[in-house]
């Protein structure tokens, strides 16, 4: 029996593409995911990144929910140190009220941006230290059990939107275990602690009102294409676009410059980010996805379809579903 597959959609804005085109592609991808049997689609909060259009995460979820009918949608994740828990309870309470039984709330501790942008968000870097308490405060609003006298979330109170803890370190794994919440590991870009974090989470898990048994979601990169050469070409394009992470924001570079940087020691981290990846035809990808599922013992896989353009990602979504889910 294959594991449930879900999608992490980064709402990528490709070179030469507008933000509007990217967001239209995000809707199309969720519709394709719903049609082909994926469990859920999540969107990540990032700021000051020209290539990612999901910064207003709850707004994007609302838009996609209005253009789909049944698939679960949520955050992967909301970076809670950037927000007051009451505001997130109101936002996701509204989403759950509009789209009952379809909304997930994944929470992360990182700011999802750089230090200058953190200041622009009017957040203190020390806000991350209160993440565990903020998770509990947020959960209490959604359950209608506010921890602050005479303060409730409207909408939100009593919606009990399910929470997920996201992480790439042992901190998140232990917190999810102690709180009895599902745990999603960001192995699509931070692979190093994957197996240790899963083992820690499972060993320390305590049952809660939301969850009786541990539940692990592991992220995995996929580029599925009709032929191997096309899949590898797509990967090269994706890696070239990531070279911008090594340069000044907004810096321009040619393909030749990008390829030279990718061959240099500076790019070691970019290659390491793709440790857990499947690139190729459906049979190649299906085998690697199955091996990853077995190696991690995960309960669900969160697939980051990394094709450079919307059409590439839509085809990858379709091919993986046909190969793995049917």
């Amino acid at each position: 029996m294959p594991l449930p597959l879900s999608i992490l959609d980064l709402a990528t804005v490709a070179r030469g593409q507008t933000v509007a085109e990217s967001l239209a592609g995000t809707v199309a991808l969720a519709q394709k995911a719903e049609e082909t049997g994926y469990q859920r689609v999540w969107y990540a909060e990032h700021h000051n990144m020209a290539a990612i259009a999901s910064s207003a995460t709850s707004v994007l979820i609302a838009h996609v929910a209005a253009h789909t009918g049944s698939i679960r949608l949520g955050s992967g994740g909301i970076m809670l140190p950037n927000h007051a828990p009451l505001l997130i309870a109101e936002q996701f309470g509204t989403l759950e009220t509009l789209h009952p039984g379809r909304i997930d709330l994944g929470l992360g501790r990182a700011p999802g941006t750089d230090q200058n942008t953190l200041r622009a968000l009017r957040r203190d870097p020390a806000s991350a230290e209160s993440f565990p308490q903020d998770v509990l405060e947020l959960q209490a609003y959604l359950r209608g059990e506010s921890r602050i006298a005479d303060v409730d979330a409207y909408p939100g109170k009593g919606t009990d939107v399910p929470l997920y803890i996201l992480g790439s370190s042992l901190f998140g794994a232990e917190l999810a275990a102690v709180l009895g919440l599902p745990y999603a590991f960001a192995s699509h870009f931070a692979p190093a602690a994957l197996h240790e974090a899963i083992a820690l989470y499972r060993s320390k898990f305590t049952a809660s009102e939301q969850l009786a048994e541990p539940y692990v979601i592991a992220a995995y990169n996929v580029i599925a294409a009709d032929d191997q050469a096309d899949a590898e070409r797509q990967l090269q394009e994706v890696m070239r676009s990531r070279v911008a992470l090594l340069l000044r924001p907004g810096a321009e570079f040619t393909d030749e410059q990008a390829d030279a940087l990718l061959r240099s020691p500076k790019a070691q981290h970019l290659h390491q980010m793709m440790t857990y990846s499947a690139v190729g035809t459906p049979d190649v990808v299906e085998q690697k996805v199955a091996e990853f599922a077995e190696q991690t013992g995960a309960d669900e896989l969160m697939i980051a379809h990394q094709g450079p353009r919307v059409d590439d990602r839509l085809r990858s979504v379709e091919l993986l579903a046909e190969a793995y889910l049917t």
Side-chain angles (χ1 to χ4, degrees):
M1 186 74 178
L3 293 184
L5 294 185
S6 296
I7 293 176
L8 176 65
D9 182 4
L10 299 175
T12 305
V13 183
R15 292 168 85 177
Q17 184 183 46
T18 67
V19 172
E21 289 168 339
S22 168
L23 294 177
T26 287
V27 171
L29 190 144
Q31 291 170 337
K32 179 63 70 175
E34 183 173 80
E35 174 191 326
T36 52
Y38 286 79
Q39 181 95 342
R40 66 186 95 235
V41 183
W42 281 359
Y43 306 95
E45 178 189 348
H46 293 283
H47 299 283
N48 196 30
M49 295 185 183
I52 295 179
S54 54
S55 54
T57 313
S58 58
V59 177
L60 181 58
I61 292 169
H63 180 65
V64 176
H67 288 81
T68 51
S70 60
I71 194 166
R72 295 193 69 88
L73 301 165
S75 58
I78 288 292
M79 300 297 106
L80 196 52
N82 295 342
H83 310 276
L86 177 61
L87 293 180
I88 298 304
E90 291 170 343
Q91 290 173 20
F92 278 78
T94 301
L95 288 168
E96 175 63 23
T97 302
L98 291 171
H99 307 283
R102 296 182 58 201
I103 303 301
D104 301 326
L105 178 46
L107 301 168
R109 184 172 67 121
T113 191
D114 57 84
Q115 291 301 308
N116 283 340
T117 307
L118 194 64
R119 286 194 287 274
L121 290 168
R122 302 295 191 268
R123 305 305 292 171
D124 183 338
S127 297
E129 301 304 315
S130 64
F131 180 65
Q133 292 77 25
D134 288 347
V135 171
L136 290 172
E137 183 181 333
L138 171 57
Q139 185 180 57
Y141 287 131
L142 293 169
R143 285 184 174 169
E145 301 168 354
S146 176
R147 294 180 160 216
I148 300 178
D150 301 320
V151 176
D152 281 300
Y154 301 112
K157 181 177 181 179
T159 55
D160 210 9
V161 177
L163 303 185
Y164 297 74
I165 299 297
L166 280 56
S168 58
S169 69
L170 302 185
F171 178 91
E174 186 161 10
L175 178 63
V178 169
L179 298 182
L181 295 174
Y183 179 56
F185 191 89
S187 35
H188 65 295
F189 77 89
L194 170 64
H195 295 285
E196 189 178 0
I198 290 175
L200 177 66
Y201 169 70
R202 291 196 180 280
S203 69
K204 294 203 169 187
F205 181 83
T206 302
S208 69
E209 185 178 330
Q210 179 176 328
L211 194 64
E213 301 287 341
Y215 193 88
V216 172
I217 301 174
Y220 192 66
N221 296 299
V222 167
I223 298 177
D226 291 290
D227 66 79
Q228 190 69 31
D230 185 41
E232 291 172 2
R233 176 195 58 77
Q234 290 183 41
L235 174 62
Q236 186 69 10
E237 284 193 49
V238 170
M239 295 304 292
R240 283 171 177 166
S241 70
R242 292 188 176 188
V243 165
L245 297 174
L246 301 174
L247 305 173
R248 300 184 314 276
E252 296 291 331
F253 51 90
T254 65
D255 288 348
E256 291 74 18
Q257 290 170 328
D259 291 343
L261 275 166
L262 287 169
R263 291 191 294 269
S264 74
K266 283 184 179 179
Q268 182 178 357
H269 177 61
L270 296 185
H271 293 293
Q272 185 183 37
M273 287 168 67
M274 296 293 286
T275 298
Y276 294 118
S277 302
V279 177
T281 54
D283 56 336
V284 170
V285 168
E286 188 276 335
Q287 181 180 348
K288 289 196 169 187
V289 167
E291 288 172 356
F292 180 73
E294 184 175 355
Q295 290 164 6
T296 59
D299 301 289
E300 181 179 334
L301 300 183
M302 182 66 65
I303 305 298
H305 288 278
Q306 294 286 2
R309 288 171 295 279
V310 170
D311 287 349
D312 298 323
R313 295 194 291 276
L314 286 170
R315 186 60 177 150
S316 185
V317 166
E318 189 173 41
L319 290 174
L320 178 58
E322 289 174 357
Y324 185 79
L325 293 175
T326 58

